[in-house]
Amino acid sequence: MKKGTFGALALLASMALTACGEDPLSVNSGDISEAEAAAIAEFLLSSTYENAFSTVQTSPEGPQLVPFSFSTQADLDAPCPLGGSVAISAAVTISGDTELEGGTISMSMTQVHSACVARQESTGIQFTLSGNPNIVASFDASSDTSGQMSVSGGLDGALGWETAEGSGNCVIDLSYTASGNENAGAISASVSGSVCGVSVSQDMQVG
């Protein structure tokens, strides 16, 4: 992987980190508290992009043709912040140009959480997630030689959740888009959908 294609993944990371900052995800109440749903949504977004980055790093190393294109399958286990793990199975197709630094990534990644414990730092909400059966993340990212990038995709599936206040089963249905220029450092992103029966919506701007 070269700089331009990695930059598309950086957009996703920026979007997740912004969601976890001073302007948290906006939610409407449902079967789970607003704060708990937002905490779970933010963790799923940020951890998904970290896992995607780890998956891409397992792609073939060494000199690539100009241009290049390849597909790969990756399976790995990622630790959760406070215990437990996530089993990941991903199919990735990457193409690009090693000299011009443009490229595309297309990925479908299945995540199965196993006693995965995390805590939202801003609120102190701690939760445990378990696959029921899994969460499937998909995204398509592209970058060109000028640094212009775009990303789209979503998270779909179901898992079990437990907090100090209760527990239940949770359906995840999130979609996201992001676009911007890596060279200028200007990124805009949006997230929408539902988490555990709670609607989620957020527009974000970085740079």
Side-chain angles (χ1 to χ4, degrees):
M1 284 296 299
K2 298 299 178 181
K3 179 182 177 182
T5 314
F6 268 133
L9 285 176
L11 285 178
L12 301 180
S14 296
M15 181 171 65
L17 290 174
T18 302
C20 294
E22 296 180 356
D23 187 19
L25 290 171
S26 172
V27 300
N28 295 319
S29 60
D31 295 334
I32 189 175
S33 75
E34 294 183 3
E36 289 171 337
I40 291 172
E42 290 170 4
F43 171 73
L44 289 175
L45 285 169
S46 60
S47 63
T48 292
Y49 306 138
E50 291 171 3
N51 293 338
F53 188 82
S54 297
T55 299
V56 172
Q57 286 184 308
T58 67
S59 60
E61 297 292 340
Q64 300 285 353
L65 297 176
V66 182
F68 68 89
S69 179
F70 64 86
S71 297
T72 187
Q73 177 79 30
D75 298 286
L76 64 149
D77 290 321
C80 293
L82 300 177
S85 62
V86 184
I88 301 164
S89 179
V92 187
T93 298
I94 301 172
S95 63
D97 190 302
T98 56
E99 291 183 350
L100 299 179
E101 296 188 336
T104 64
I105 303 173
S106 180
M107 178 184 290
S108 177
M109 180 173 66
T110 300
Q111 302 173 94
V112 181
H113 296 77
S114 179
C116 177
V117 185
R119 180 172 56 241
Q120 186 182 47
E121 293 300 324
S122 61
T123 63
I125 293 175
Q126 183 167 310
F127 48 87
T128 302
L129 304 178
S130 299
N132 188 26
N134 54 45
I135 300 295
V136 177
S138 61
F139 67 83
D140 294 289
S142 65
S143 63
D144 64 22
T145 57
S146 70
Q148 194 68 28
M149 301 176 185
S150 64
V151 180
S152 64
L155 300 178
D156 296 284
L159 44 71
W161 62 272
E162 182 178 355
T163 69
E165 302 300 323
S167 62
N169 294 317
C170 179
V171 174
I172 307 296
D173 181 11
L174 291 174
S175 61
Y176 55 80
T177 61
S179 61
N181 190 286
E182 181 185 33
N183 297 333
I187 300 168
S188 61
S190 64
V191 181
S192 63
S194 63
V195 175
C196 308
V198 177
S199 70
V200 174
S201 178
Q202 183 70 53
D203 295 316
M204 292 158 275
Q205 186 74 37
V206 178

